[in-house]
Amino acid sequence: MNDMYKNFGIDGTVAGFCGDVIDGLRGRFDAIDQIAEYNQYKVLAAMQKNKVSAACLSGTTGYGYNDIGRDTLEAVYADTFHTEAALVRPQITCGTHALAVALSANLLPGDELLSPVGRPYDTLQEVIGIRPSPCSLAEYGVTYNEVELLDDGSFDYDGIRAAINDRTKLVTIQRSKGYSMRPTLSVERIGELIAFIKSIKSDIICMVDNCYGEFVEKVEPSDVGADMTVGSLIKNPGGGLAPIGGYICGTKKCIERCASRLSAPGLGQEVGASLDVMVSLYEGFFLAPTVVAGALKGAIFAANIYERLGFHVVPSGHEPRYDIIQSVELGSAEKMVAFCKGIQGAAPVDSYVTPVPYAMPGYNCDVIMAAGSFIQGASIELSADGPMRDPYAIYFQGGLTWNHAKIGIMKSLQCLVDGEFVKL
Ligand SMILES: *Cc1c(COP(=O)(O)O)cnc(C)c1O
């Protein structure tokens, strides 16, 4: 192995340091494998129950009427997430689009949207109209309110109670931390929050942004009362194979409205050709529990490496995990660039490219992104990104296999050592 490392530009000191860290993680890795096995069974059972067949794997064109592959995949998602219905489509372009569909389908002029977990993910801010944008919910007369988490990361129950009013129609709960340093919410905590909200006003629709959380635990937000659970297929549930798409799993009532918003009133879920992507969507979902397990091991490895070097990491090296994101507060733009250079240098695609910070649609400052992925921008693949602003935190995620995540982290460390930003 040492020769392989050397060929890859990783010196003996870095390899030794990383090997020591991994030796301490075996027990946690076993626990992750057990969750993957449980979730593998869940997905397999849903596929068998819905009689996935060869006919499901070939797509349709045009209107896509009676598309058995599409309809069966939606049933498989609904059964895996234990919901009445699901909308799983390649026509949903990304996670932000899935969330925008779920919100705009279920909020009408005069309604209020509440986020009880602080400000949502950057791209959602324009969807809501926190930052003005054409066609935002604000333009359509939907108001917005938010309640921050308390300093210790707990819910501000008094603040939430005070924020709920007659017009509060929908509550959005982001499971993952996004580009912030707050803790990711466990499914159990999400369940407590939903129960509290419904105890105040039982007809509030609770939506969970489940991005990066799928298959990390044995349960999903839909198991603890969420009316809509939403995510991207180029993250966890696509298993690295889905080339595009998003999903919304939830109540029949909510999903029917989402389908009408996505296509057109009157057309709903009946149209939408699946083209050539069905095999990737099924196979990716089938692999997703294992792929997520590999990504989780990578995240824990990264946390332990950088924590040992004195950096503030969220979550810490020993905390339980509720998503696949690992943030490392590097503290300077130069260190972020060096870290990303390492991740990019370990990629199977575009490894010769040097990542540089750049303006991105939906973000209010320059963002650096390292990703040499088979599917453009797929962050279930080995990737790192972060906004170029204080505290200069990098967000690392993905890796289609644990071995690849490991190489990426080792390369990132090597780049920081080479730049004399850290000393082992
Ligand atoms: C990735 C992500 C989204 C959606 O982002 P897209 O890039 O549009 O897929 C939304 N919320 C969170 C928390 C995310 O991590």
Side-chain angles (χ1 to χ4, degrees):
M1 270 318 287
N2 281 331
D3 286 344
M4 288 302 270
Y5 290 146
K6 205 173 287 165
N7 286 341
F8 224 72
I10 294 166
D11 66 36
T13 323
V14 168
F17 183 83
C18 291
D20 277 355
V21 168
I22 289 172
D23 286 341
L25 296 174
R26 302 284 174 205
R28 290 197 71 190
F29 284 11
D30 284 349
I32 289 171
D33 288 335
Q34 278 172 26
I35 293 176
E37 183 181 358
Y38 183 92
N39 285 327
Q40 182 70 78
Y41 174 78
K42 253 205 295 192
V43 172
L44 179 61
M47 288 187 171
Q48 293 186 350
K49 179 187 162 200
N50 288 289
K51 298 196 161 59
V52 173
S53 66
C56 293
L57 304 178
S58 51
T60 57
T61 55
Y63 293 111
Y65 291 139
N66 303 313
D67 185 326
I68 183 185
R70 176 197 69 206
D71 294 349
T72 304
L73 182 67
E74 289 180 337
V76 167
Y77 264 72
D79 279 331
T80 305
F81 282 82
H82 306 125
T83 56
E84 291 170 3
L87 188 66
V88 186
R89 302 284 166 126
Q91 286 83 9
I92 299 177
T93 54
C94 61
T96 305
H97 187 197
L99 290 156
V101 166
L103 291 171
S104 54
N106 288 284
L107 287 160
L108 294 173
D111 289 340
E112 186 156 284
L113 167 67
L114 172 68
S115 171
V117 295
R119 187 140 296 195
Y121 188 72
D122 291 59
T123 58
L124 263 293
Q125 295 174 16
E126 282 179 87
V127 171
I128 295 167
I130 299 171
R131 283 184 284 130
S133 195
C135 296
S136 69
L137 291 170
E139 268 200 350
Y140 286 93
V142 174
T143 57
Y144 169 75
N145 196 3
E146 67 188 19
V147 178
E148 282 297 325
L149 293 175
L150 296 175
D151 286 342
D152 65 356
S154 62
F155 300 125
D156 179 1
Y157 285 117
D158 292 338
I160 295 167
R161 191 195 312 274
I164 292 176
N165 60 51
D166 288 351
R167 295 192 301 110
T168 310
K169 172 78 167 297
L170 197 152
V171 160
T172 178
I173 301 168
Q174 186 178 304
R175 177 171 176 182
S176 180
K177 60 186 157 307
Y179 287 148
S180 72
M181 293 301 276
R182 72 140 162 106
T184 288
L185 304 176
S186 66
V187 170
E188 188 184 359
R189 287 191 68 205
I190 290 172
E192 287 161 14
L193 181 57
I194 292 173
F196 175 75
I197 286 161
K198 299 238 178 196
S199 77
I200 295 171
K201 193 165 182 253
S202 62
D203 60 351
I204 289 183
I205 298 167
C206 291
M207 181 190 89
V208 176
D209 174 351
N210 203 28
C211 279
Y212 292 126
E214 298 89 354
F215 298 129
V216 172
E217 299 183 64
K218 289 180 181 170
V219 285
E220 299 291 341
S222 42
D223 292 311
V224 295
D227 300 292
M228 288 190 284
T229 301
V230 186
S232 163
L233 299 196
I234 62 168
K235 294 180 179 171
N236 303 17
L241 294 184
I244 190 169
Y247 77 89
I248 308 170
C249 291
T251 63
K252 197 159 171 283
K253 205 170 152 200
C254 286
I255 298 300
E256 275 173 3
R257 292 194 66 92
C258 292
S260 293
R261 175 50 67 229
L262 179 66
S263 60
L267 300 184
Q269 219 157 345
E270 309 285 316
V271 297
S274 55
L275 303 173
D276 290 330
V277 301
M278 276 297 133
V279 175
S280 327
L281 266 50
Y282 277 103
E283 198 172 348
F285 196 53
F286 182 72
L287 292 178
T290 308
V291 172
V292 168
L296 272 174
K297 291 175 189 173
I300 291 171
F301 177 51
N304 281 278
I305 292 275
Y306 285 99
E307 192 171 61
R308 201 181 273 202
L309 291 168
F311 292 98
H312 180 223
V313 298
V314 180
S316 75
H318 53 270
E319 273 177 87
R321 296 270 148 175
Y322 307 117
D323 67 9
I324 63 165
I325 313 286
Q326 182 60 48
S327 74
V328 182
E329 233 178 87
L330 290 169
S332 78
E334 296 74 33
K335 283 181 223 160
M336 284 175 77
V337 172
F339 185 101
C340 286
K341 212 175 132 195
I343 298 297
Q344 190 76 37
V349 180
D350 290 340
S351 61
Y352 52 88
V353 168
T354 306
V356 289
Y358 210 74
M360 297 267 302
Y363 299 89
N364 70 352
C365 67
D366 280 0
V367 177
I368 189 162
M369 297 205 166
S373 51
F374 296 106
I375 305 295
Q376 192 191 105
S379 44
I380 186 62
E381 298 187 48
L382 185 73
S383 50
D385 46 70
M388 304 302 285
R389 64 186 180 216
D390 202 47
Y392 295 96
I394 201 77
Y395 295 79
F396 164 82
Q397 65 269 317
L400 292 178
T401 65
W402 149 237
N403 284 325
H404 188 224
K406 176 180 166 184
I407 292 165
I409 295 295
M410 288 172 80
K411 275 292 258 190
S412 77
L413 178 57
Q414 184 71 53
C415 283
L416 284 163
V417 169
D418 291 348
E420 298 183 355
F421 297 115
V422 299
K423 223 172 141 42
L424 299 183

